[in-house]
Amino acid sequence: MAKRERKEAEAGGEVRGRLLSGATALFASKGYAATTVREIVERAGVTKPVLYYYFRSKEGIYLDLMREPFGKFAALVDEAVLEAGSAKDRLFRLCLHAYDIFVENIDAARVMYSIYYGPPQGAPFVDFDAYHHRFQEAVLQVLREGIRDGEFRRVNLSDAMWAVVGALNVAMEVELCHPKQSLGRDGVRRVLELVLEGIVMNRKITGKIRRKT
Amino acid sequence: MAKRERKEAEAGGEVRGRLLSGATALFASKGYAATTVREIVERAGVTKPVLYYYFRSKEGIYLDLMREPFGKFAALVDEAVLEAGSAKDRLFRLCLHAYDIFVENIDAARVMYSIYYGPPQGAPFVDFDAYHHRFQEAVLQVLREGIRDGEFRRVNLSDAMWAVVGALNVAMEVELCHPKQSLGRDGVRRVLELVLEGIVMNRKITGKIRRKT
DNA sequence: ATCTTTATCTACCGATCGGTAAATTTTCCG
DNA sequence: CGGAAAATTTACCGATCGGTAGATAAAGAT
């Protein structure tokens, strides 16, 4: 029984895996609509009906290959919110983990970016927005707690969230366009640091420390 | 002579214009590869060879419709750098102008985003990177002058540029994904303000005012 | 060994793609 | 008005698309 399961995983797993990784690379390099089923199967060294056997359709393989990175991402966000530490540490951790997953899954990320911020291109619907929204909520929560604890100024939560998300996004965007000029974790940290510290020489401290009752 | 030129502009201009705007909308809603020549011409109320008469190919119409917004953008950046004012004012002006053009040309912008940050999708090459680069150079210049004049802290120029570009990008990205939740000019201004002022309560003033010799 | 299930293949389908030849219509100009 | 140029059409092309039927091979179970 154990031997049988292992055999299945190896056989179906290998071809299936080749199709998935090949499709990921092709979707990332050409886009969903401009990638043909023929080139996916050719790349995997099988024939077309094999793709239909494992994935039912071109759409099926697309949906399957998007599932993993976004599942990881969602789990990350849920964990990161629960972690201890200063608001700043937690914010950095959250963003750096997100950045790591992005970089590890750069191909899926590229496809996601293209479709989330661009046209659907005939690709089946994936609720990318839910993932983004969850991340934004996590950032908001950490910011809110930072303000509550007097660590952060009393600023508009939404504005602050966009400032943080913007800093992270731009780092990921450099990764997409200029991998050779990658900011890397250190660069992400520095830009976030700057967003937290500000750029101007003189500023007003808008918020007072809120005493806990 | 004047009469002839006006007639030409009206006739060729009108059909040509309908094809261009229709293609822009379709590329923005479906993507380059998933948009067919048939639907472009159908939308314009002409037949397929008309598109080939005016634009030589599907690629030709794509290249033509990308030319205008990016031409405007480049001109904007060149002008904005020459304007007078405090570094902060200039930075805000530069970013808000860019935001305006983005919003006015949201369809072309959506296609650009999809291709610049995503796969080429069979679309012909447009040097989007040159435009981005030029904008980044403009931001760097304004930041450099702000530091030189003691208006901004002595921070890593590149980091500061990414912080600013990130804030602007995220506003544009909201525009692409959630137009109903548009930050608007005011929102962009506020997020930029926050990036300039920082979020933390306590910070170090790293740079000293540099005396001009 | 045989039978069943799973995995893979060859050959094919109807539909659609970007592009074009040749004919026709419309517009312009002298 | 007629002729030329510009604009538009109908009908067509070869190629490719996603998907599938039926056959076969491979793997697994008894």
Side-chain angles (χ1 to χ4, degrees):
Chain A
M1 185 63 95
K3 186 167 184 176
R4 171 181 180 172
E5 289 178 357
R6 206 194 62 188
K7 201 70 177 178
E8 273 188 351
E10 282 182 5
E14 198 205 315
V15 169
R16 205 172 181 283
R18 283 204 321 271
L19 284 166
L20 276 171
S21 61
T24 304
L26 283 165
F27 289 146
S29 66
K30 310 182 80 170
Y32 178 82
T35 297
T36 66
V37 173
R38 280 172 173 86
E39 51 194 342
I40 296 172
V41 297
E42 187 184 329
R43 190 186 172 105
V46 296
T47 56
K48 253 202 308 172
V50 178
L51 184 142
Y52 293 91
Y53 178 77
Y54 286 105
F55 299 107
R56 293 141 288 138
S57 62
K58 182 183 179 181
E59 297 196 341
I61 194 170
Y62 171 82
L63 290 171
D64 277 16
L65 70 83
M66 282 296 166
R67 203 167 281 140
E68 202 225 335
F70 289 94
K72 277 200 286 189
F73 181 65
L76 149 83
V77 174
D78 290 345
E79 282 174 32
V81 170
L82 298 177
E83 289 179 359
S86 68
K88 178 180 165 178
D89 287 344
R90 287 165 69 207
L91 199 57
F92 275 40
R93 219 176 288 137
L94 183 60
C95 292
L96 287 169
H97 280 4
Y99 179 75
D100 290 341
I101 288 181
F102 191 93
V103 173
E104 276 160 33
N105 298 275
I106 193 72
D107 282 349
R110 188 184 306 279
V111 178
M112 182 275 293
Y113 238 83
S114 170
I115 285 170
Y116 186 62
Y117 296 113
Q121 303 163 44
F125 177 74
V126 175
D127 195 1
F128 295 128
D129 198 56
Y131 296 111
H132 281 83
H133 189 69
R134 186 184 287 192
F135 184 75
Q136 287 156 26
E137 287 297 323
V139 173
L140 281 171
Q141 184 176 334
V142 175
L143 286 170
R144 189 180 295 120
E145 286 163 16
I147 292 173
R148 183 198 68 192
D149 295 343
E151 196 175 334
F152 296 154
R153 300 193 292 135
R154 193 172 204 88
V155 293
N156 180 303
L157 264 181
S158 178
D159 292 345
M161 182 272 290
W162 290 124
V164 169
V165 169
L168 176 61
N169 277 6
V170 85
M172 297 198 278
E173 284 156 18
V174 174
E175 206 65 41
L176 290 172
C177 304
H178 298 292
K180 293 219 172 63
Q181 294 160 37
S182 167
L183 270 64
R185 280 184 132 245
D186 284 348
V188 176
R189 203 187 298 269
R190 287 197 321 267
V191 176
L192 283 170
E193 193 80 53
L194 201 44
V195 167
L196 289 198
E197 303 261 353
I199 291 173
V200 294
M201 205 54 108
N202 307 303
R203 63 169 189 169
K204 300 176 289 192
I205 299 294
T206 310
K208 295 297 184 186
I209 294 169
R210 184 187 182 125
R211 297 296 175 190
K212 288 206 271 191
T213 52
Chain B
M1 187 63 94
K3 186 165 184 176
R4 171 181 182 171
E5 289 179 356
R6 207 197 59 184
K7 202 67 176 177
E8 273 187 351
E10 281 184 7
E14 199 205 315
V15 169
R16 206 171 180 282
R18 286 206 317 273
L19 284 165
L20 276 171
S21 60
T24 304
L26 284 164
F27 288 147
S29 66
K30 309 182 83 169
Y32 179 82
T35 296
T36 66
V37 172
R38 279 173 175 85
E39 52 194 343
I40 295 172
V41 298
E42 187 184 330
R43 189 185 173 110
V46 295
T47 56
K48 256 205 302 178
V50 178
L51 185 143
Y52 293 92
Y53 177 77
Y54 285 105
F55 300 105
R56 294 139 287 139
S57 62
K58 184 184 180 183
E59 299 197 341
I61 192 170
Y62 171 83
L63 291 170
D64 277 17
L65 69 82
M66 282 294 166
R67 202 167 282 139
E68 200 225 336
F70 290 94
K72 276 202 284 191
F73 182 66
L76 150 82
V77 173
D78 291 346
E79 283 172 31
V81 170
L82 297 176
E83 290 177 1
S86 70
K88 178 179 166 178
D89 287 344
R90 287 165 70 206
L91 199 55
F92 276 40
R93 219 178 285 139
L94 184 59
C95 292
L96 288 169
H97 280 1
Y99 179 76
D100 290 341
I101 288 180
F102 191 94
V103 172
E104 277 161 32
N105 298 277
I106 192 73
D107 282 349
R110 188 182 305 280
V111 177
M112 181 277 290
Y113 239 84
S114 169
I115 283 169
Y116 185 60
Y117 296 116
Q121 304 162 42
F125 177 74
V126 175
D127 195 2
F128 295 129
D129 198 56
Y131 296 110
H132 281 82
H133 189 69
R134 186 184 290 190
F135 184 74
Q136 286 155 27
E137 288 297 324
V139 173
L140 281 171
Q141 182 176 336
V142 175
L143 285 169
R144 187 180 295 121
E145 287 162 13
I147 292 174
R148 182 198 67 193
D149 296 343
E151 196 176 335
F152 297 155
R153 299 193 294 135
R154 195 172 202 84
V155 293
N156 179 303
L157 264 181
S158 177
D159 293 345
M161 182 271 291
W162 291 125
V164 169
V165 169
L168 175 62
N169 278 4
V170 84
M172 298 199 276
E173 284 155 20
V174 173
E175 208 65 42
L176 290 172
C177 301
H178 298 293
K180 292 216 174 66
Q181 294 160 37
S182 167
L183 270 63
R185 280 182 131 248
D186 284 348
V188 176
R189 203 188 297 270
R190 291 200 316 271
V191 176
L192 283 171
E193 193 81 52
L194 202 42
V195 167
L196 290 200
E197 303 261 352
I199 291 174
V200 293
M201 203 57 106
N202 309 302
R203 63 167 188 168
K204 301 175 290 193
I205 301 291
T206 310
K208 295 297 184 187
I209 295 167
R210 180 181 183 132
R211 297 296 175 188
K212 290 207 272 190
T213 54

